[in-house]
Amino acid sequence: MTNSKLTETLTFECETGNYHTFCPISCVAWLYQKIEDSFFLVIGTKTCGYFLQNALGVMIFAEPRYAMAELEEADISAQLNDYKELKRLCLQIKQDRNPSVIVWIGTCTTEIIKMDLEGMAPRLEAEIQTPIVVARANGLDYAFTQGEDTVLAAMVQRCPSNAPEQNQIEKKSLVLFGSLPTNVATQLNLELERCGIQVAGWLPSQRYADLPVLNQNVYVCGINPFLSRTATTLMRRRKCKLISAPFPIGPDGTRAWLEKICSVFNVAPINLIERERLIWDSLEDYITLLRGKSVFFMGDNLLEISLARFLVRCGMIVYEIGIPYLDKRFQSAELQLLEKTCSEMNVAMPRIVEKPDNYNQIQRIRELQPDLAITGMAHANPLEARGINTKWSVEFTFAQIHGFTNARDILELVTRPLRRNKALENLGWNQLVKM
Amino acid sequence: MKLAYWMYAGPAHIGTLRVASSFKNVHAIMHAPLGDDYFNVMRSMLERERDFTPVTASIVDRHVLARGSQEKVIENITRKDKEENPDLIILTPTCTSSILQEDLQNFVNRAGLDSKSDVILADVNHYRVNELQAADRTLEQIIRFYLEKARSESNKPLRKTEKPSANILGIFTLGFHNQHDCRELRRLLTDLGIVINQILPEGGSVTNINELPKAWFNLIPYREVGLMAANYLQNEYDMPYVAVTPMGLLDTENCIREIVDIVKSSDTSYNFDFETYIDTQTRFISQAAWFSRSIDCQNLTGKKAVVFGDATHAASITKILAREMGIRVSCSGTYCKHDADWFREQVDGFCDEVLITDDHTQVADMIARIEPAAIFGTQMERHIGKRLDIPCGVISAPVHIQNFPLGFRPFLGYEGTNQISDLVYNSFTLGMEDHLLEIFGGHDTKEVITKSLSTDSDLAWAPEALTELQRIPGFVRGKIKRNTEKFAREKNCNLITLEIMFAAKEAVGA
């Protein structure tokens, strides 16, 4: 592909949607840990349960605060009363765990049999006196991380609209949305504090009881690219003002994110450029490994645009950005930054493939022979056996990748296959399948 | 609805996919929503597969919900036919798609007209059978399909092979140590002078299935998968089968005797001296018999163990522990509820109680109650054991990546008996270590945690009693703590002092 011409603008394509990704119910894995007093009840079949059990591996043994409400044949054929069944299970959960909120995760099956979860939840909530939030995170409509989006969009409705004590209604405040491990959230809070901006709250908060105040004076900003429904809900239902910024992934993204927020709040960021430069300097050992190397994103978690933008800035060439779903409005700032980065780094604009077709992508990977393919676990081992370096995309979802502090973690992940395979490359065992 | 945190056996389509992807050049197309193809992840990660898993999804999305699949499934089938040229494409419904009640058979019929490959619809009910039952059914379905096809094409009866020969049915992907077992079975049959006709489904080709009846008999190593096919072959082709799992010395012997009986009954000239073979293997080649007799194994005498797993492995291990090693099996259980009667019959007389359940909390409570010296179970029991500080040897699926070892680790045949002996022996605390811990009061000064899984203690411990408790070796500490607390409750004491502790010991022998 080195001979390919520089294209001026990003190209967008859409394929068949035959690609591998995780089911969006997987969001319970990180959300139940984030929201400490919650309980997630996934209303689905054995298939959903087996997925959670296998995808989330060891966590299942730590008495997780999530469970399946496993639908049986009698539920499907409506011989049992949904409401009574859910009431029975929720009472049991209340008795065993006493959570502050129960989140019902609707699945494909509840969609198909048209189980009215949104209708039942308020009735049951009144009856058992525990809030019930309904999120339809199913594989019919969404991919992987979009599950979090549906849960957060549902949580928006539960946020208070007035501050309880002080009357700060006139003052504009900042709420960040997106689930991050607490220490990463604190890091971002501190970055903003250095700029003189106080974060009023996070959606989601550590505890359900601490959900942030949302009203027309609140500015909201997303920290992850897959939160477009949440953004829409915040704007339309709570009249919040959305700050459209690139996402704080990589030092370039973090700086752009901070600058955009600062500009909205009319404050001049101090030392940001210097801070970014210091971070880049500290990454130099990893960037040396990446410069001039090519990368192919098969696409499965919606972080792809931001990661690609960061890697282009690191000196990589991006051949293709596969992505399950692209909200061009929500990601507009990020797309602009990608375009700008590509022209500044003088590399070809990557093709962005929405709803990719894994089979076709593998043919393209064969032709292009990228130095690195970022892909799901279903394809990683087969590609490695064919001499293609791979990094599992799922790790980017679970690793800490936000802010200045964690830029090194992203590169740690990206360079790991290159570092490992560098040690092995002279052994002559790169092709491990019979051709 | 059922509140569930964990399950032993997966949903039906997993079983179908495991069988389909074990064959060479067979492709499965799932009629499923996005994200249901995690089977590919499991196979790629657990089996460390080098090849792309031959499973794709025909995605059920909002549009399909609104308008039906229409041409989508057919297009996906014919496309796969062109891309990969498989011999067979299996359309696999999932629990989601089966509620849609689309006429998948019709899609299959229509796609079959345009495809070079054969196309069939997996015939399993997602709400009635689990992974293992579905795998059994799918294997039978594929074998039946190709034998009926062969019969309709020619009427020539197949001639049996000249030399005695066998098919091995039921070896497949993601099976517990199946690859290693397969190699060991090959060796065993070769030793007996028996030719392997075919092994299905692992590595088998559907185009050869028409030659399946050439074998003299079928060997079904695992109870869970292969029996349906064996029964079909017996009824339609008069093929006998051997279903004794050759696990452990005695059952390996039983299996060999059945095989030799079958062979001798159809070929009187077959004069393999199996008595000498069995005797040599048992006493000198396998180390298991000698191990059981060695003084080391004395320390295991009468120790309590709990066994839980699939029907095949749990039953065999129970018998090995009880018959071949003198270990007391306090409870033996299986999650194969559909095969409960067979299981009870197998372990009858070899254990104190039987537990048939697929609820892991029941298993955990049983283990907490019995407090065995070792557990032999699945990955779930291993975790239960960790929490209770009881060692566990993994003997059955469900498993994780550690249970797909690269080294040769069969459970079947004579080499299997060696592996099992090692596993059993290493699971118990080693004999001398055990004594030393008792004599010197243990080296473990970890904080005491309660062993009970669900109940909290309402009793307080006086500091000096607590210190005393810490001195007790880790592996019996929980038991003594609980017995003391039980005693204190009976006496209506809220504070456990040293006196109470000693009194409890005197009263209940804690």
Side-chain angles (χ1 to χ4, degrees):
Chain A
M1 268 285 274
T2 43
N3 55 357
S4 79
K5 275 177 270 169
L6 282 178
T7 39
E8 292 302 310
T9 50
L10 294 167
T11 51
F12 298 94
E13 287 168 44
C14 187
E15 278 189 309
T16 61
N18 275 325
Y19 64 102
H20 165 76
T21 184
F22 275 178
C23 173
I25 59 171
S26 51
C27 68
V28 305
W30 62 88
L31 287 176
Y32 92 81
Q33 291 182 18
K34 174 68 193 176
I35 310 170
E36 285 170 355
D37 51 353
S38 62
F39 191 98
F40 283 77
L41 184 67
V42 182
I43 304 160
T45 59
K46 253 184 178 330
T47 306
C48 311
Y50 207 57
F51 164 69
L52 285 176
Q53 166 175 333
N54 281 291
L56 309 180
V58 179
M59 278 187 269
I60 200 87
F61 299 110
E63 286 219 6
R65 290 188 320 280
Y66 68 80
M68 291 292 307
E70 194 183 310
L71 299 169
E72 291 165 299
E73 200 168 16
D75 297 301
I76 305 296
S77 54
Q79 285 164 2
L80 290 171
N81 181 310
D82 300 336
Y83 184 81
K84 281 187 189 155
E85 291 294 299
L86 281 168
K87 184 179 163 188
R88 183 170 59 81
L89 300 193
C90 287
L91 281 172
Q92 196 181 329
I93 291 165
K94 196 180 170 188
Q95 194 193 341
D96 294 349
R97 307 293 181 93
N98 197 26
S100 308
V101 58
I102 298 176
V103 183
W104 285 355
I105 303 286
T107 62
C108 306
T109 310
T110 56
E111 287 296 311
I112 294 173
I113 65 174
K114 298 197 174 14
M115 196 182 274
D116 182 20
L117 298 177
E118 279 93 346
M120 284 187 279
R123 274 171 62 206
L124 192 54
E125 179 170 323
E127 206 172 336
I128 69 169
Q129 293 295 310
T130 299
I132 297 173
V133 172
V134 180
R136 303 181 179 197
N138 60 66
L140 295 168
D141 301 305
Y142 304 110
F144 196 11
T145 48
Q146 287 180 290
E148 176 181 322
D149 194 21
T150 62
V151 173
L152 296 190
M155 289 253 174
V156 168
Q157 306 295 336
R158 301 303 180 116
C159 295
S161 49
N162 283 311
E165 287 154 30
Q166 299 126 322
N167 197 359
Q168 290 184 322
I169 299 172
E170 301 308 314
K171 225 176 129 192
K172 61 182 185 184
S173 65
L174 175 67
V175 167
L176 300 177
F177 60 97
S179 164
L180 284 183
T182 309
N183 57 328
V184 184
T186 312
Q187 286 160 10
L188 290 181
N189 284 346
L190 286 174
E191 297 291 354
L192 283 161
E193 237 168 74
R194 280 193 198 117
C195 300
I197 297 169
Q198 283 290 331
V199 176
W202 280 78
L203 175 74
S205 47
Q206 187 97 350
R207 302 184 63 80
Y208 177 74
D210 301 337
L211 283 176
V213 173
L214 295 176
N215 56 40
Q216 68 277 12
N217 296 316
V218 173
Y219 282 79
V220 290
C221 190
I223 50 98
N224 267 323
F226 45 76
L227 298 170
S228 55
R229 266 177 81 89
T230 310
T232 314
T233 315
L234 285 164
M235 287 189 293
R236 295 207 183 135
R237 308 295 291 262
R238 308 307 296 266
K239 308 292 176 227
C240 299
K241 297 183 182 76
L242 179 72
I243 303 173
S244 174
F247 300 98
I249 292 168
D252 50 340
T254 308
R255 186 186 123 200
W257 183 75
L258 288 168
E259 280 176 347
K260 187 66 195 279
I261 295 174
C262 286
S263 76
V264 171
F265 279 79
N266 277 323
V267 290
I270 310 155
N271 281 341
L272 258 193
I273 296 174
E274 174 65 8
R275 179 148 167 73
E276 189 198 355
R277 195 186 57 78
L278 285 175
I279 299 289
W280 282 116
D281 287 349
S282 72
L283 300 177
E284 187 52 34
D285 53 337
Y286 278 159
I287 292 176
T288 314
L289 295 170
L290 296 179
R291 224 167 256 139
K293 296 256 167 51
S294 54
V295 59
F296 189 109
F297 285 88
M298 286 185 76
D300 72 347
N301 59 15
L302 283 91
L303 294 170
E304 291 87 2
I305 306 269
S306 310
L307 288 172
R309 177 259 303 152
F310 171 48
L311 293 182
V312 170
R313 180 58 75 185
C314 291
M316 294 190 89
I317 301 151
V318 180
Y319 287 155
E320 176 166 329
I321 306 176
I323 186 166
Y325 167 73
L326 179 60
D327 184 332
K328 283 188 191 160
R329 269 171 55 188
F330 183 62
Q331 296 226 40
S332 59
E334 185 63 85
L335 287 167
Q336 277 166 23
L337 184 59
L338 171 66
E339 215 162 15
K340 190 172 143 229
T341 307
C342 286
S343 60
E344 281 176 13
M345 298 301 289
N346 198 27
V347 292
M349 297 281 169
R351 48 191 269 163
I352 296 175
V353 181
E354 208 179 345
K355 295 174 126 214
D357 184 293
N358 280 166
Y359 184 86
N360 296 343
Q361 284 185 315
I362 286 170
Q363 310 308 315
R364 294 199 285 273
I365 288 176
R366 274 195 185 136
E367 276 168 37
L368 296 164
Q369 293 286 315
D371 294 307
L372 180 68
I374 295 182
T375 170
M377 288 193 273
H379 297 113
N381 267 338
L383 284 171
E384 286 282 350
R386 284 158 183 77
I388 304 278
N389 299 322
T390 59
K391 182 76 235 139
W392 313 332
S393 50
V394 183
E395 285 195 82
F396 294 102
T397 323
F398 293 114
Q400 308 191 343
I401 61 169
H402 292 80
F404 286 127
T405 322
N406 300 307
R408 198 171 175 82
D409 291 47
I410 308 178
L411 293 190
E412 162 72 28
L413 289 178
V414 173
T415 57
R416 195 179 295 160
L418 303 175
R419 283 179 284 131
R420 196 270 309 261
N421 292 351
K422 201 173 176 186
L424 308 178
E425 74 189 354
N426 294 326
L427 297 171
W429 303 332
N430 295 329
Q431 287 285 335
L432 290 154
V433 280
K434 287 176 192 149
M435 289 297 178
Chain B
M1 277 182 218
K2 199 169 85 179
L3 197 62
Y5 294 88
W6 204 80
M7 60 187 85
Y8 283 100
H13 73 270
I14 297 284
T16 297
L17 297 180
R18 281 175 63 188
V19 167
S21 59
S22 296
F23 278 105
K24 262 191 266 174
N25 215 23
V26 170
H27 200 100
I29 293 184
M30 299 166 71
H31 190 234
L34 195 65
D36 269 5
D37 58 350
Y38 58 85
F39 173 76
N40 298 30
V41 175
M42 290 171 61
R43 188 155 182 271
S44 171
M45 296 307 291
L46 295 176
E47 290 262 37
R48 298 184 192 86
E49 258 298 327
R50 300 170 195 223
D51 281 314
F52 294 101
T53 300
V55 174
T56 44
S58 173
I59 304 281
V60 175
D61 57 15
R62 230 357 111 172
H63 297 294
V64 171
L65 220 54
R67 305 172 305 150
S69 291
Q70 297 190 348
E71 300 300 313
K72 196 173 183 181
V73 176
I74 298 167
E75 277 165 19
N76 277 314
I77 293 174
T78 46
R79 177 184 162 187
K80 205 38 79 181
D81 178 54
K82 291 200 182 73
E83 283 169 356
E84 311 259 0
N85 295 314
D87 297 320
L88 170 67
I89 293 176
I90 302 182
L91 181 62
T92 311
T94 55
C95 58
T96 310
S97 76
S98 64
I99 327 171
L100 289 175
Q101 298 193 319
E102 285 195 274
D103 190 356
L104 296 179
Q105 186 61 52
N106 176 34
F107 295 157
V108 161
N109 295 343
R110 282 167 56 203
L113 298 175
D114 296 332
S115 307
K116 269 191 251 137
S117 53
D118 299 307
V119 188
I120 62 174
L121 174 67
D123 173 26
V124 287
N125 182 323
H126 283 262
Y127 292 91
R128 297 196 185 158
V129 297
N130 67 19
E131 173 182 0
L132 297 168
Q133 293 162 288
D136 200 14
R137 172 79 187 99
T138 304
L139 180 60
E140 190 245 19
Q141 194 190 353
I142 295 173
I143 288 174
R144 181 191 290 261
F145 176 81
Y146 278 99
L147 287 176
E148 282 175 2
K149 192 177 165 195
R151 241 188 322 199
S152 69
E153 281 163 8
S154 99
N155 273 326
K156 264 192 291 175
L158 268 179
R159 223 181 276 153
K160 294 283 175 199
T161 56
E162 214 164 296
K163 282 188 175 166
S165 61
N167 300 316
I168 304 177
L169 304 181
I171 307 280
F172 68 144
T173 191
L174 291 170
F176 184 75
H177 292 242
N178 273 16
Q179 312 284 353
H180 312 281
D181 285 347
C182 183
R183 201 168 125 195
E184 183 63 20
L185 287 179
R186 262 177 194 280
R187 186 162 84 179
L188 183 68
L189 290 176
T190 311
D191 280 356
L192 301 176
I194 291 165
V195 178
I196 309 252
N197 185 47
Q198 281 185 32
I199 296 172
L200 291 182
E202 185 61 50
S205 168
V206 289
T207 51
N208 295 336
I209 287 180
N210 59 346
E211 311 239 312
L212 208 55
K214 283 167 83 175
W216 291 25
F217 70 99
N218 293 312
L219 177 60
I220 316 298
Y222 310 112
R223 176 77 190 166
E224 285 76 21
V225 177
L227 267 187
M228 272 182 88
N231 278 317
Y232 167 76
L233 290 164
Q234 185 174 47
N235 294 336
E236 295 289 320
Y237 293 87
D238 208 18
M239 289 177 77
Y241 64 85
V242 176
V244 177
T245 302
M247 199 185 306
L249 290 167
L250 292 172
D251 273 346
T252 302
E253 179 177 336
N254 291 338
C255 180
I256 292 173
R257 284 178 191 279
E258 280 201 17
I259 291 173
V260 171
D261 280 350
I262 286 175
V263 175
K264 279 194 172 158
S265 68
S266 32
D267 178 10
T268 43
S269 69
Y270 178 80
N271 60 353
F272 181 73
D273 181 6
F274 66 95
E275 294 291 356
T276 313
Y277 176 76
I278 291 171
D279 184 58
T280 319
Q281 290 285 334
T282 305
R283 289 197 296 143
F284 305 110
I285 309 291
S286 160
Q287 300 294 315
W290 161 235
F291 166 77
S292 306
R293 191 62 201 255
S294 72
I295 50 166
D296 235 4
C297 201
Q298 271 181 21
N299 286 326
L300 302 185
T301 310
K303 284 217 170 169
K304 282 199 290 186
V306 160
V307 181
F308 196 84
D310 64 22
T312 304
H313 289 85
S316 296
I317 296 290
T318 302
K319 286 187 275 182
I320 292 169
L321 293 177
R323 287 194 297 194
E324 299 178 18
M325 292 181 171
I327 291 164
R328 179 160 163 208
V329 181
S330 301
C331 181
S332 172
T334 181
Y335 56 84
C336 296
K337 283 158 85 177
H338 61 277
D339 215 8
D341 293 341
W342 177 84
F343 184 79
R344 281 206 186 84
E345 189 191 306
Q346 288 295 303
V347 298
D348 183 40
F350 299 117
C351 59
D352 300 344
E353 56 179 296
V354 175
L355 178 66
I356 312 282
T357 181
D358 54 6
D359 176 357
H360 72 276
T361 55
Q362 273 191 41
V363 180
D365 287 346
M366 175 269 288
I367 293 173
R369 170 171 56 83
I370 289 177
E371 294 180 38
I375 309 166
F376 298 94
T378 71
Q379 280 295 335
M380 184 38 107
E381 283 68 47
R382 195 172 72 86
H383 282 266
I384 295 168
K386 265 190 183 170
R387 289 170 62 188
L388 297 174
D389 217 2
I390 301 172
C392 177
V394 176
I395 52 126
S396 157
V399 285
H400 66 50
I401 193 151
Q402 288 176 342
N403 305 107
F404 291 90
L406 304 176
F408 186 49
R409 300 252 194 287
F411 270 63
L412 302 186
Y414 287 108
E415 178 54 29
T417 62
N418 292 337
Q419 298 291 339
I420 293 170
S421 298
D422 279 343
L423 181 77
V424 170
Y425 185 64
N426 294 338
S427 296
F428 286 98
T429 315
L430 299 182
M432 246 353 224
E433 195 187 343
D434 202 342
H435 284 306
L436 291 174
L437 282 170
E438 240 166 87
I439 292 164
F440 294 111
H443 46 57
D444 183 359
T445 52
K446 271 187 295 186
E447 199 191 340
V448 183
I449 43 161
T450 175
K451 267 193 179 177
S452 58
L453 284 171
S454 44
T455 53
D456 261 341
S457 168
D458 52 350
L459 291 160
W461 283 69
E464 64 276 21
L466 213 52
T467 319
E468 179 65 24
L469 190 65
Q470 305 280 14
R471 290 203 195 101
I472 294 162
F475 58 96
V476 284
R477 194 185 295 148
K479 187 175 175 181
I480 288 175
K481 181 166 186 264
R482 242 163 300 128
N483 284 343
T484 310
E485 288 181 348
K486 189 176 158 207
F487 176 80
R489 261 189 218 104
E490 281 167 5
K491 298 277 174 231
N492 282 324
C493 298
N494 293 327
L495 182 74
I496 296 171
T497 57
L498 270 180
E499 283 86 339
I500 298 279
M501 230 180 135
F502 295 139
K505 186 177 181 185
E506 284 154 21
V508 294

Tab-separated table of all heavy atoms in Angstrom, chain A residues 88-105:
chain	number	residue	atom	x	y	z
A	88	ARG	N	-40.677	-12.122	41.580
A	88	ARG	CA	-40.093	-13.165	42.425
A	88	ARG	C	-38.558	-13.056	42.441
A	88	ARG	O	-37.932	-13.048	43.506
A	88	ARG	CB	-40.530	-14.527	41.877
A	88	ARG	CG	-40.071	-15.731	42.657
A	88	ARG	CD	-40.762	-16.996	42.147
A	88	ARG	NE	-40.520	-17.270	40.730
A	88	ARG	CZ	-39.419	-17.860	40.263
A	88	ARG	NH1	-38.469	-18.227	41.095
A	88	ARG	NH2	-39.272	-18.079	38.968
A	89	LEU	N	-37.979	-12.927	41.259
A	89	LEU	CA	-36.516	-12.851	41.192
A	89	LEU	C	-35.988	-11.567	41.839
A	89	LEU	O	-34.985	-11.590	42.549
A	89	LEU	CB	-36.038	-12.928	39.746
A	89	LEU	CG	-36.382	-14.174	38.939
A	89	LEU	CD1	-35.573	-14.221	37.659
A	89	LEU	CD2	-36.129	-15.446	39.741
A	90	CYS	N	-36.667	-10.450	41.591
A	90	CYS	CA	-36.174	-9.179	42.127
A	90	CYS	C	-36.284	-9.152	43.654
A	90	CYS	O	-35.433	-8.573	44.325
A	90	CYS	CB	-36.904	-8.006	41.503
A	90	CYS	SG	-36.386	-7.754	39.802
A	91	LEU	N	-37.328	-9.764	44.173
A	91	LEU	CA	-37.436	-9.835	45.640
A	91	LEU	C	-36.291	-10.665	46.212
A	91	LEU	O	-35.724	-10.328	47.253
A	91	LEU	CB	-38.783	-10.433	46.051
A	91	LEU	CG	-39.965	-9.459	45.986
A	91	LEU	CD1	-41.270	-10.192	46.225
A	91	LEU	CD2	-39.794	-8.325	46.987
A	92	GLN	N	-35.978	-11.722	45.509
A	92	GLN	CA	-34.868	-12.560	45.967
A	92	GLN	C	-33.551	-11.788	45.947
A	92	GLN	O	-32.776	-11.831	46.897
A	92	GLN	CB	-34.768	-13.790	45.053
A	92	GLN	CG	-33.926	-14.899	45.655
A	92	GLN	CD	-33.835	-16.084	44.705
A	92	GLN	OE1	-34.753	-16.358	43.929
A	92	GLN	NE2	-32.714	-16.773	44.750
A	93	ILE	N	-33.350	-11.018	44.875
A	93	ILE	CA	-32.134	-10.204	44.772
A	93	ILE	C	-32.102	-9.172	45.884
A	93	ILE	O	-31.092	-8.945	46.531
A	93	ILE	CB	-32.073	-9.509	43.394
A	93	ILE	CG1	-31.843	-10.538	42.303
A	93	ILE	CG2	-30.993	-8.441	43.357
A	93	ILE	CD1	-32.131	-10.036	40.909
A	94	LYS	N	-33.270	-8.565	46.130
A	94	LYS	CA	-33.345	-7.540	47.164
A	94	LYS	C	-32.987	-8.142	48.519
A	94	LYS	O	-32.249	-7.550	49.305
A	94	LYS	CB	-34.762	-6.952	47.199
A	94	LYS	CG	-34.790	-5.649	47.950
A	94	LYS	CD	-36.158	-5.019	48.010
A	94	LYS	CE	-36.062	-3.859	48.994
A	94	LYS	NZ	-37.349	-3.288	49.294
A	95	GLN	N	-33.497	-9.324	48.759
A	95	GLN	CA	-33.242	-9.970	50.037
A	95	GLN	C	-31.765	-10.369	50.178
A	95	GLN	O	-31.147	-10.139	51.216
A	95	GLN	CB	-34.134	-11.209	50.147
A	95	GLN	CG	-34.189	-11.761	51.551
A	95	GLN	CD	-34.803	-13.150	51.562
A	95	GLN	OE1	-35.481	-13.556	50.622
A	95	GLN	NE2	-34.543	-13.885	52.625
A	96	ASP	N	-31.203	-10.936	49.111
A	96	ASP	CA	-29.821	-11.424	49.207
A	96	ASP	C	-28.787	-10.301	49.169
A	96	ASP	O	-27.768	-10.369	49.835
A	96	ASP	CB	-29.516	-12.399	48.055
A	96	ASP	CG	-30.343	-13.664	48.160
A	96	ASP	OD1	-30.967	-13.856	49.220
A	96	ASP	OD2	-30.373	-14.440	47.186
A	97	ARG	N	-29.015	-9.288	48.354
A	97	ARG	CA	-27.958	-8.290	48.122
A	97	ARG	C	-28.338	-6.876	48.519
A	97	ARG	O	-27.476	-6.020	48.633
A	97	ARG	CB	-27.577	-8.270	46.633
A	97	ARG	CG	-27.226	-9.606	46.050
A	97	ARG	CD	-25.937	-10.119	46.681
A	97	ARG	NE	-25.583	-11.400	46.108
A	97	ARG	CZ	-24.771	-11.528	45.070
A	97	ARG	NH1	-24.256	-10.469	44.507
A	97	ARG	NH2	-24.483	-12.722	44.591
A	98	ASN	N	-29.608	-6.600	48.626
A	98	ASN	CA	-30.113	-5.272	48.933
A	98	ASN	C	-29.438	-4.150	48.136
A	98	ASN	O	-28.840	-3.235	48.700
A	98	ASN	CB	-29.975	-4.995	50.436
A	98	ASN	CG	-30.847	-3.832	50.851
A	98	ASN	OD1	-31.856	-3.567	50.204
A	98	ASN	ND2	-30.449	-3.120	51.886
A	99	PRO	N	-29.534	-4.189	46.817
A	99	PRO	CA	-28.896	-3.150	46.015
A	99	PRO	C	-29.686	-1.842	46.046
A	99	PRO	O	-30.871	-1.844	46.385
A	99	PRO	CB	-28.916	-3.751	44.605
A	99	PRO	CG	-30.111	-4.641	44.603
A	99	PRO	CD	-30.257	-5.173	45.997
A	100	SER	N	-29.019	-0.725	45.676
A	100	SER	CA	-29.728	0.562	45.594
A	100	SER	C	-30.492	0.691	44.282
A	100	SER	O	-31.381	1.528	44.162
A	100	SER	CB	-28.747	1.725	45.683
A	100	SER	OG	-27.932	1.594	46.801
A	101	VAL	N	-30.076	-0.086	43.306
A	101	VAL	CA	-30.780	-0.060	42.022
A	101	VAL	C	-30.617	-1.429	41.358
A	101	VAL	O	-29.576	-2.079	41.496
A	101	VAL	CB	-30.222	1.054	41.093
A	101	VAL	CG1	-28.740	0.857	40.840
A	101	VAL	CG2	-30.977	1.120	39.782
A	102	ILE	N	-31.697	-1.850	40.695
A	102	ILE	CA	-31.596	-3.060	39.875
A	102	ILE	C	-31.692	-2.615	38.421
A	102	ILE	O	-32.614	-1.877	38.060
A	102	ILE	CB	-32.723	-4.063	40.209
A	102	ILE	CG1	-32.613	-4.522	41.666
A	102	ILE	CG2	-32.652	-5.271	39.274
A	102	ILE	CD1	-33.734	-5.439	42.109
A	103	VAL	N	-30.705	-3.010	37.622
A	103	VAL	CA	-30.756	-2.666	36.203
A	103	VAL	C	-31.188	-3.903	35.433
A	103	VAL	O	-30.556	-4.953	35.525
A	103	VAL	CB	-29.375	-2.178	35.698
A	103	VAL	CG1	-29.475	-1.761	34.249
A	103	VAL	CG2	-28.866	-1.041	36.550
A	104	TRP	N	-32.293	-3.772	34.727
A	104	TRP	CA	-32.731	-4.871	33.865
A	104	TRP	C	-32.090	-4.685	32.500
A	104	TRP	O	-32.229	-3.620	31.884
A	104	TRP	CB	-34.251	-4.838	33.688
A	104	TRP	CG	-35.019	-5.306	34.877
A	104	TRP	CD1	-34.538	-5.829	36.032
A	104	TRP	CD2	-36.450	-5.263	35.021
A	104	TRP	NE1	-35.564	-6.120	36.891
A	104	TRP	CE2	-36.750	-5.790	36.298
A	104	TRP	CE3	-37.502	-4.837	34.198
A	104	TRP	CZ2	-38.061	-5.900	36.769
A	104	TRP	CZ3	-38.798	-4.948	34.665
A	104	TRP	CH2	-39.075	-5.483	35.940
A	105	ILE	N	-31.439	-5.708	32.020
A	105	ILE	CA	-30.873	-5.653	30.678
A	105	ILE	C	-31.773	-6.487	29.765
A	105	ILE	O	-31.866	-7.702	29.920
A	105	ILE	CB	-29.435	-6.212	30.654
A	105	ILE	CG1	-28.525	-5.453	31.628
A	105	ILE	CG2	-28.867	-6.176	29.249
A	105	ILE	CD1	-28.129	-4.072	31.191
